[in-house]
Amino acid sequence: MDLQETRAVVTGGSRGIGEAICLELAGRGAEVAIADIDEDGMADTVDRIESETDSTAEWYYLDLTDPALVDERTDQILDDLGGVEILVNNSGIMGPTAPLEDVTVDEWEETMDVNVRGQFLMCRALLPTMKEAGFGRIVNIASITGKNPLYNRAPYAVSKMGVIGLTRTLADEVGEHDVNVNAICPGSVAGPRIERVFEGQAEARDVPYEQVVEEAEAGSPRGELVQPEDVAQLAGFLCSPDADRITGQDINVSAGRVMF
């Protein structure tokens, strides 16, 4: 229980990777605040935390495209928890699957607003309390698509590359305050979200869905997809005392699909 007496905020904690991260941090002893737009999903995650761990959790409705609401909710979380040492920026959207010339401005801006600006807003809101305390851990969920092309997914790729840039620059900016900032770059993570991505890829390429899945698995030396728990375990490690000297890194969890 290496995160005892710490308080963590996890965005997008209602399902998938976010839910797994919430459970991992709570299992390590952290008190968890979940911020998301999926109220039913957050309630389910809270129930799992309180039944499967010794920690407690609360959920907060938060739309990351609303800067005023981000400030309001983070102030509320700080009041309720009395401080925050850990921030995991997990919320993100897939964005459109289409050739660049068919992407609308609204689709482009929505992808950037959630995937990049949302992380900026959360960091901006919670960094002052971390700097004042002289301790903090920020984990931004990026993607191997921020390093490697993904067919017809330019908005998503650009947004995740932006997350890596934010991570590296912020780590340099706040390191003197004992605030570490790292990014995790998952590969294809098993679950409903990647199934929707594969469906979009299959349609865009006019190939069978099964072919897209087989190609994704074959692209890994292990011949398999990543599990949400794989990402969650790394997030827990990066927030722990064992990762005190690790900052400014973008670490792949891709079953070897990307190696840089």
Side-chain angles (χ1 to χ4, degrees):
M1 302 274 281
D2 51 14
L3 298 180
Q4 291 245 14
E5 300 183 4
T6 63
R7 295 150 294 188
V9 176
V10 180
T11 66
S14 62
R15 56 190 179 276
I17 293 173
E19 180 182 28
I21 290 172
C22 289
L23 288 163
E24 176 71 20
L25 297 182
R28 289 173 176 258
E31 183 179 0
V32 179
I34 309 167
D36 203 333
I37 59 173
D38 182 354
E39 297 181 345
D40 291 339
M42 286 191 287
D44 290 342
T45 302
V46 169
D47 288 344
R48 287 195 63 189
I49 287 172
E50 295 184 346
S51 65
E52 297 177 24
T53 77
D54 294 328
S55 296
T56 60
E58 297 289 344
W59 63 263
Y60 300 81
Y61 176 85
L62 177 58
D63 181 349
L64 287 173
T65 66
D66 184 342
L69 185 59
V70 170
D71 289 340
E72 178 184 330
R73 284 291 182 269
T74 50
D75 284 346
Q76 181 183 355
I77 291 169
L78 288 170
D79 286 343
D80 290 350
L81 272 59
V84 168
E85 291 80 24
I86 294 168
L87 168 63
V88 180
N89 281 311
N90 171 70
S91 285
I93 61 174
M94 298 185 299
T97 297
L100 185 66
E101 64 268 25
D102 293 335
V103 174
T104 68
V105 172
D106 286 345
E107 289 172 330
W108 180 276
E109 291 184 347
E110 181 186 28
T111 306
M112 300 305 153
D113 284 350
V114 177
N115 292 1
V116 185
R117 192 179 72 165
Q119 295 201 10
F120 151 69
L121 291 172
M122 291 299 296
C123 290
R124 186 181 69 167
L126 294 176
L127 268 171
T129 190
M130 294 181 183
K131 291 168 71 173
E132 183 178 356
F135 178 82
R137 298 292 179 261
I138 298 174
V139 177
N140 298 323
I141 304 302
S143 170
I144 62 170
T145 306
K147 302 180 177 185
N148 206 48
L150 186 57
Y151 187 78
N152 279 354
R153 296 293 302 283
Y156 183 78
V158 171
S159 72
K160 292 304 184 178
M161 194 170 290
V163 169
I164 293 172
L166 171 65
T167 298
R168 293 175 179 176
T169 303
L170 190 57
D172 189 48
E173 183 177 321
V174 300
E176 64 181 308
H177 301 283
D178 197 13
V179 177
N180 288 357
V181 188
N182 291 289
I184 299 176
C185 298
S188 298
V189 178
R193 179 170 175 169
I194 197 63
E195 291 169 4
R196 294 195 297 272
V197 172
F198 289 158
E199 288 167 359
Q201 292 285 299
E203 182 178 355
R205 295 170 52 197
D206 193 25
V207 299
Y209 171 84
E210 292 76 15
Q211 178 180 331
V212 177
V213 176
E214 289 173 2
E215 289 172 355
E217 293 175 341
S220 155
R222 295 183 58 88
E224 59 187 349
L225 303 182
V226 175
Q227 299 299 314
E229 292 74 19
D230 299 330
V231 181
Q233 289 164 9
L234 177 57
F237 167 74
L238 290 173
C239 294
S240 77
D242 293 331
D244 280 348
R245 303 296 177 269
I246 301 175
T247 193
Q249 305 304 302
D250 43 278
I251 304 171
N252 302 325
V253 183
S254 68
R257 189 172 179 186
V258 168
M259 298 185 180
F260 59 91

